[in-house]
Amino acid sequence: MADEEYNFTLLEQKWQRQWEKTGLVRAIRPGRPNFYSLNMYPYPSGVLHMGHVLNYTIGDVVVRYKILRGYNVLSPMGWDSFGLPAENAAIRTGVSPHDFTENNIERMRGQMRRAGWLYDWNREFATSHVDYYRWNQWFFLKLFEKGLVVKKTAPVNWCDSCQTVLANEQVKDGECERCGSSVTQKDMNQWFYRLSEYAERLLAGHDKLRGHWPDAVLAMQAEWIGKSVGAEVEFRVRETGEPLPVFTTRPDTLWGVTFMSIAPEHPLVEKLTRGSPYEREVATAVQRMRNLGTSVKELAEREKEGVFTGFHVINPVNGAEIPLWVANFALMSYGTGAVMSVPAHDQRDWEFAKKYNLPIIKVIDPPDGSGPESWTGAYVGSGAIVNSDQFSGQPDNFQAIPAIVDWLADNGKGGKRVNYRLRDWLLSRQRYWGTPIPVVYCDTCGIVPVPLKDLPVVLPTDIDFTQGQGNPLLRSPSFVNCKCPSCGKPAKRETDTMDTFVDSSWYQFRFADPHNDSLPFAGEKIAEWLPVSQYIGGIEHATMHLMYARFFTMALHDLGLLDFEEPFERLFCQGMVCKVAYRCEVCKWLPSEDVMVVQQDGKRELEPEAAEAVFKRIENQSLTPDGLAAEGLALICRRSGDPVRFEMTKISKSKLNIVDPDAMMDRYGADTVRLYVLSDSPPDRMQIWTEDGVNGSWRTINRLWRLVMDSLAKVAPVGSVVPPDLTGVDRELRRKTHQSIGRITEAIEGGYQFNTAIARINELLNFLRSSRDKANPAVLREVLEVIVITLSPIIPHFAEECWAKLGHLESVFLHTWPEFDPEAARLDSVEIPVQINGKVRERLQVPPDLAAAELERLVLENTKVQGLIAGKTLVKVVVVPGRMVNLAVR
RNA sequence: GGGGGUGUGGCGGAAUGGCAGACGCAGGGGAUUUAAAAUCCCCCGAUCAUUGAUCAUGCGGGUUCGACUCCCGCCACCCCCACCA
């Protein structure tokens, strides 16, 4: 009867229907605490990838575990459905972004249901629906009123291929995060959210998050905020008296300033040099610096370059007159756009001074007393201050900084200043498929925000995507032409749309009240569920989504819409899912079908079975490139005949090493896939996908199925009570069961260590397999139920079926997580290792609660121990009751 | 250059400062089978050896009766940021 394999196709569908029918995730059970579990919602690309599978499976285990623990759980799902891919598809194929998106959502929703993830689909929404994005406009207007929205001209990142600006956070290594083409800088008049206003609060908020968010995320955000404490110092242009303040973190080196560097874009450059003898030379140099490679990548790799302006500045601390240079390393966007240069104690200034032959003055004395003549670079360490008027002789330059800053402030030469690297959030995008920015341009009234009552500004649908270039909204007269809300004259609408990160900055709140059509959300619904108890997603959002969402929450708090400032109490970031990928020197990445295994001498191709074995070993990492060569084998590209290398890398379409979740679920069922992604590595580490591994999880499920089916005849009826005073196998089995409950619970609670939780369940299973035939029927029921319940968050369909087969009429998720009984888990005796100088020499069986003195006596009376220490001096006896004994002898 | 993280068998990984390698994958052997798959049982860090011993958690020190674990100094790899004044 138990010979059949577990029929996942039928059973998984059956239980999914059942959960939906009974509304498992919607069941609000009064008197229970609320728990809001949220997974980062996906962009509806049309297919789930393995990263989603890992992310949402972790989330689903949390949801189901919390249900079993007696919580009311909110587990919503929605769609981050604005964005470029839909628009690009429209340009390519002519299908409207709306239809493209809706079709994709349909497909992905099906895949999600099939995976068995529990979501309350009644709360589903897509951000590209006007019911959602109208609130983006509403918030924009509220924040505009509050002064948190600005339109300004600034150097922005421009992606020519996407034909839009990008936020700083969306530029990676000088390339567009989305399409990979190189990003250039240009000045544009754009909309911004004043993120930088919140720099200090965003940083301070980390105190609350520490311990609940991964350290790496907090570190990345702190770095991105880039707080640095220093001083502002009031330099002045000698020739014109114009102020030219600088920011410095090293006021202790002020007396060592030998020149001033100013950014090429600095307005003072043109203002000063216009009409001067240096005008032409400076202007050409500035042109060259600004134009020669505006790509962000080139900017970073450029060599130091500068030009003298012909002007000088006066150092307020000592009246020194120093030359003013334009330097390509000075950034207009940081500090004041001007840098005081101290070549003796700053490596960058050192290089510049050497190149242009500028003076170098030592003001910090290194311990060895050496000077710049003998240095090969700037001295950046600590030492005594020299050549610095009244501060000369201070023994430690860094300790002297506060006194110097105070002196600057007292004498009107400057003062303390905190600077942040965080810049404002560039909001506008020159694209169609996003939230229209609710603003009108009027020749008479200027920039006029759309009144709240006129919302929403609806994205028009009468667009031809296959014609023309640039933002398609410009080609929709019915959209562009409007009346000025203020004076009623003809006006033009803003055609820029919002960055999609606006959508994801507050979606976590909308899930609490998704159908509200008079407000983005009602306060009482927020109070019920928010902040999010557990948020789960990828670490790649550390400085983007997670920073914006925190900012938005703080801003909404300041608008009086929320009474908390942090949206996500706990954050968990899952690891990447990786798989081996093959790369040909000529054809780049290859699918494994295009890789041929050959014998090195003679280039003879291996038989299919032998080749498959080789691929398998490569996938398992049991065959390294060296190992392959040692066996006289080589990999060759089937297309070009060139050598092929392999590496373990993130599963991605571009590397051609994707694993299709649908295909896996066809073959093994959702539960097997769920079990596999959780069973090998801790979920925050890199996961390695192997075919053998999935198959192993499939075998595990079948072994378990047979075990449960074979036990049905022997198991006591539902509700049977385990008799007291168990002995032998029964006592052992029950002890193991309760020990397991304790350790499984600990593994889940202590940071989602599902791999160890699964290992603990396997141990219990192995033990049960060896003792089942002798077990008391009631004990057998207890252990089987513990196994089924503890596995149910991970492999829910399977667990439900077993639960039903065990005679239960209600869902396993209506039961409670098993109670750990310390009495049942208690050991009758423990084995105590006896160490001599740290090495185990003997073992004793003793009662678990034997007192230290008793244990020591037993050990010292043991004849074997006596023999081992005979003739030696007993220096120390260490007794850890219930654990071990160590004898230190000489 | 700065920050964060990780180093343990062929592989993924276990170990409140207390028996290193749980659990699983791969591998080897056996049973079953006409055969294969599946299943079940056994072995599986290294070296030496007869029961047993010695060495082993990236490297070097330290603290401790006792260190994968704590401290100091290196090395390697991964991720993030980077002309940030």
Side-chain angles (χ1 to χ4, degrees):
Chain A
M1 74 178 171
D3 289 346
E4 300 157 45
E5 280 192 341
Y6 170 67
N7 186 338
F8 60 82
T9 320
L10 257 134
L11 296 174
E12 289 186 349
Q13 275 179 25
K14 164 178 143 190
W15 289 108
Q16 283 160 18
R17 276 198 297 268
Q18 190 72 14
W19 297 329
E20 276 176 33
K21 207 171 86 196
T22 57
L24 191 52
V25 82
R26 289 199 309 279
I28 303 294
R29 295 173 284 182
R32 292 171 184 245
N34 284 353
F35 187 93
Y36 182 2
S37 164
L38 183 65
N39 302 308
M40 290 183 186
Y41 67 167
Y43 174 79
S45 62
V47 277
L48 286 178
H49 56 68
M50 274 301 159
H52 293 130
V53 172
L54 178 58
N55 187 165
Y56 301 151
T57 299
I58 296 167
D60 198 54
V61 175
V62 171
V63 167
R64 292 174 185 269
Y65 175 73
K66 287 290 173 183
I67 290 175
L68 286 163
R69 283 270 120 141
Y71 287 82
N72 280 325
V73 180
L74 173 58
S75 172
M77 182 48 74
W79 310 97
D80 185 18
S81 54
F82 269 141
L84 269 181
E87 191 170 339
N88 290 339
I91 294 167
R92 227 176 29 246
T93 65
V95 64
S96 82
H98 177 266
D99 293 350
F100 173 84
T101 302
E102 294 303 311
N103 284 337
N104 287 351
I105 288 174
E106 196 65 35
R107 289 229 301 281
M108 287 175 82
R109 197 193 291 117
Q111 288 185 301
M112 287 182 169
R113 286 196 148 105
R114 189 181 177 195
W117 301 320
L118 276 189
Y119 298 119
D120 182 351
W121 290 107
N122 291 320
R123 293 174 188 263
E124 178 189 7
F125 59 76
T127 57
S128 56
H129 292 174
V130 68
D131 292 344
Y132 185 84
Y133 74 71
R134 64 183 301 173
W135 303 114
N136 286 342
Q137 297 172 337
W138 192 87
F139 287 129
F140 177 93
L141 295 171
K142 291 281 182 189
L143 294 172
F144 186 90
E145 231 170 77
K146 188 94 178 159
L148 286 171
V149 177
V150 286
K151 191 169 195 206
K152 60 184 179 187
T153 299
V156 297
N157 307 300
W158 175 262
C159 174
D160 212 45
S161 140
C162 298
Q163 285 282 307
T164 186
V165 297
L166 300 170
N168 295 322
E169 290 84 347
Q170 289 167 317
V171 181
K172 293 265 136 63
D173 293 326
E175 289 171 355
C176 172
E177 202 203 20
R178 189 123 249 163
C179 72
S181 44
S182 87
V183 172
T184 58
Q185 288 242 310
K186 60 182 187 181
D187 282 338
M188 287 180 76
N189 194 241
Q190 296 284 295
W191 290 100
F192 290 85
Y193 272 137
R194 297 186 65 184
L195 181 63
S196 60
E197 285 283 295
Y198 284 73
E200 186 58 43
R201 272 168 77 187
L202 287 165
L203 189 63
H206 283 182
D207 291 342
K208 259 180 283 178
L209 304 178
R210 203 155 286 122
H212 308 295
W213 279 40
D215 288 339
V217 173
L218 297 181
M220 278 187 241
Q221 289 202 351
E223 196 163 280
W224 197 256
I225 294 167
K227 178 179 184 173
S228 64
V229 178
E232 183 158 307
V233 187
E234 305 296 337
F235 284 72
R236 252 170 217 291
V237 178
R238 185 191 69 180
E239 291 82 355
T240 66
E242 200 108 26
L244 184 54
V246 299
F247 171 73
T248 180
T249 54
R250 294 294 304 277
D252 54 311
T253 62
L254 265 165
W255 281 261
V257 177
T258 60
F259 62 100
M260 171 78 78
S261 311
I262 189 170
E265 316 84 299
H266 200 293
L268 208 53
V269 175
E270 214 209 313
K271 194 171 164 193
L272 285 177
T273 57
R274 192 185 309 127
S276 86
Y278 289 86
E279 178 174 7
R280 181 181 298 261
E281 194 190 338
V282 171
T284 0
V286 166
Q287 264 315 309
R288 195 173 56 240
M289 287 183 217
R290 296 201 65 186
N291 283 358
L292 229 174
T294 46
S295 97
V296 175
K297 204 167 189 166
E298 283 166 309
L299 285 175
E301 285 163 1
R302 174 183 302 175
E303 208 192 312
K304 286 178 190 36
E305 192 191 344
V307 61
F308 178 49
T309 59
F311 286 78
H312 298 78
V313 294
I314 296 170
N315 184 342
V317 303
N318 57 5
E321 296 177 0
I322 53 171
L324 175 63
W325 284 67
V326 176
N328 65 348
F329 65 79
L331 306 172
M332 195 56 223
S333 55
Y334 187 77
T336 64
V339 190
M340 63 176 228
S341 293
V342 188
H345 305 294
D346 181 282
Q347 183 59 28
R348 191 185 46 194
D349 297 344
W350 171 278
E351 285 165 28
F352 196 84
K354 285 285 176 191
K355 179 166 179 181
Y356 292 105
N357 224 355
L358 293 158
I360 297 171
I361 300 173
K362 171 171 94 165
V363 290
I364 310 294
D365 203 20
D368 65 7
S370 63
E373 321 77 57
S374 64
W375 296 346
T376 53
Y379 177 71
V380 295
S382 63
I385 297 182
V386 293
N387 300 328
S388 301
D389 297 334
Q390 71 271 34
F391 292 102
S392 297
Q394 291 279 347
D396 185 308
N397 59 312
F398 291 113
Q399 277 174 19
I401 289 177
I404 297 171
V405 174
D406 285 347
W407 176 81
L408 287 170
D410 292 347
N411 292 279
K413 296 168 191 294
K416 189 176 169 174
R417 162 90 187 258
V418 178
N419 209 20
Y420 300 90
R421 221 180 293 183
L422 187 68
R423 286 184 260 165
D424 287 337
W425 171 10
L426 172 55
L427 185 64
S428 31
R429 295 290 181 275
Q430 290 69 47
R431 300 298 305 221
Y432 163 80
W433 192 234
T435 306
I437 293 175
V439 164
V440 167
Y441 298 102
C442 169
D443 285 341
T444 318
C445 312
I447 296 175
V448 184
V450 173
L452 282 175
K453 64 172 175 49
D454 292 349
L455 292 187
V457 177
V458 178
L459 196 61
T461 48
D462 59 336
I463 306 277
D464 184 357
F465 293 92
T466 53
Q467 305 294 316
Q469 261 239 322
N471 187 347
L473 281 177
L474 290 164
R475 302 194 298 270
S476 171
S478 63
F479 178 78
V480 175
N481 298 315
C482 62
K483 286 208 161 53
C484 170
S486 164
C487 67
K489 287 189 214 145
K492 301 269 187 207
R493 244 181 232 295
E494 171 66 86
T495 55
D496 282 0
T497 54
M498 294 183 200
D499 180 5
T500 57
F501 279 116
V502 174
D503 310 337
S504 54
S505 291
W506 67 280
Y507 80 117
Q508 67 275 10
F509 306 135
R510 184 68 177 176
F511 279 130
D513 193 8
H515 308 301
N516 195 327
D517 57 10
S518 55
L519 282 173
F521 45 75
E524 68 270 17
K525 301 278 184 161
I526 294 292
E528 212 176 311
W529 294 108
L530 273 291
V532 173
S533 319
Q534 177 68 68
Y535 196 35
I536 304 174
I539 199 162
E540 65 274 14
H541 292 106
T543 54
M544 297 192 277
H545 161 58
L546 290 167
M547 186 86 90
Y548 297 140
R550 292 184 60 220
F551 157 73
F552 228 80
T553 306
M554 288 174 184
L556 298 192
H557 168 268
D558 295 351
L559 286 173
L561 294 169
L562 298 171
D563 59 6
F564 52 87
E565 295 190 47
E566 290 294 342
F568 312 115
E569 267 170 9
R570 292 178 168 276
L571 171 69
F572 186 89
C573 293
Q574 83 271 16
M576 289 188 301
V577 184
C578 296
K579 187 170 180 278
V580 72
Y582 298 92
R583 192 189 172 92
C584 162
E585 280 164 20
V586 179
C587 316
K588 302 256 176 83
W589 298 103
L590 292 173
S592 57
E593 302 88 73
D594 284 353
V595 180
M596 196 158 72
V597 188
V598 298
Q599 233 126 27
Q600 266 173 334
D601 51 333
K603 304 277 181 224
R604 201 155 32 76
E605 186 174 358
L606 253 54
E607 298 293 312
E609 303 90 70
E612 202 175 309
V614 169
F615 284 124
K616 198 169 135 178
R617 286 164 65 204
I618 289 173
E619 197 179 69
N620 289 325
Q621 296 181 93
S622 49
L623 192 58
T624 59
D626 289 347
L628 191 73
E631 292 183 24
L633 298 172
L635 300 183
I636 298 287
C637 172
R638 220 175 262 290
R639 290 186 239 161
S640 69
D642 282 281
V644 170
R645 280 202 293 265
F646 55 88
E647 62 182 87
M648 192 55 68
T649 181
K650 185 180 176 178
I651 290 183
S652 76
K653 263 190 230 160
S654 60
K655 306 267 171 77
L656 297 171
N657 62 344
I658 47 163
V659 180
D660 174 20
D662 254 351
M664 285 299 134
M665 288 193 278
D666 281 343
R667 203 147 140 213
Y668 297 106
D671 280 337
T672 297
V673 175
R674 294 168 60 116
L675 179 63
Y676 175 59
V677 297
L678 297 178
S679 53
D680 265 6
S681 309
D684 52 349
R685 275 210 227 172
M686 181 181 87
Q687 315 284 313
I688 290 166
W689 186 277
T690 66
E691 193 70 31
D692 279 335
V694 205
N695 198 43
S697 293
W698 168 236
R699 287 206 305 261
T700 300
I701 283 180
N702 277 301
R703 262 206 310 268
L704 188 51
W705 179 248
R706 284 191 296 274
L707 179 77
V708 173
M709 291 310 111
D710 289 348
S711 305
L712 291 179
K714 302 176 186 101
V715 78
V718 176
S720 305
V721 179
V722 174
D725 307 323
L726 294 170
T727 53
V729 169
D730 292 321
R731 173 90 183 86
E732 285 293 314
L733 189 52
R734 184 137 204 276
R735 176 182 302 128
K736 188 80 189 165
T737 304
H738 280 270
Q739 281 171 348
S740 299
I741 295 170
R743 299 180 71 186
I744 294 162
T745 310
E746 216 176 297
I748 295 174
E749 298 275 352
Y752 303 147
Q753 301 162 49
F754 303 123
N755 57 325
T756 44
I758 291 165
R760 300 285 96 90
I761 297 170
N762 270 325
E763 278 177 85
L764 180 57
L765 270 169
N766 291 344
F767 190 84
L768 174 61
R769 230 172 250 127
S770 63
S771 53
R772 187 194 61 200
D773 294 342
K774 295 161 274 180
N776 169 298
V779 174
L780 184 61
R781 167 160 291 276
E782 187 185 25
V783 59
L784 285 174
E785 290 195 351
V786 165
I787 290 169
V788 169
I789 299 170
T790 52
L791 275 172
S792 67
I794 299 168
I795 45 173
H797 316 85
F798 178 86
E800 287 278 35
E801 187 61 25
C802 291
W803 191 247
K805 284 273 193 278
L806 282 167
H808 290 276
L809 302 173
E810 278 199 316
S811 164
V812 65
F813 296 101
L814 298 177
H815 202 266
T816 54
W817 189 256
E819 196 83 28
F820 172 65
D821 179 353
E823 188 47 39
R826 206 175 60 84
L827 295 163
D828 294 333
S829 73
V830 286
E831 190 183 76
I832 300 289
V834 180
Q835 301 179 351
I836 293 170
N837 289 341
K839 297 210 182 302
V840 181
R841 297 298 178 198
E842 175 61 332
R843 294 157 198 282
L844 299 179
Q845 286 292 335
V846 304
D849 46 6
L850 188 69
E854 269 304 284
L855 185 54
E856 181 173 345
R857 194 180 56 79
L858 270 176
V859 167
L860 293 176
E861 279 174 3
N862 181 285
T863 46
K864 184 168 174 194
V865 171
Q866 283 175 352
L868 285 161
I869 61 172
K872 295 182 179 134
T873 320
L874 189 59
V875 183
K876 189 166 181 180
V877 182
V878 182
V879 182
V880 185
R883 272 245 176 240
M884 50 74 64
V885 174
N886 188 24
L887 306 177
V889 298
R890 236 191 332 250

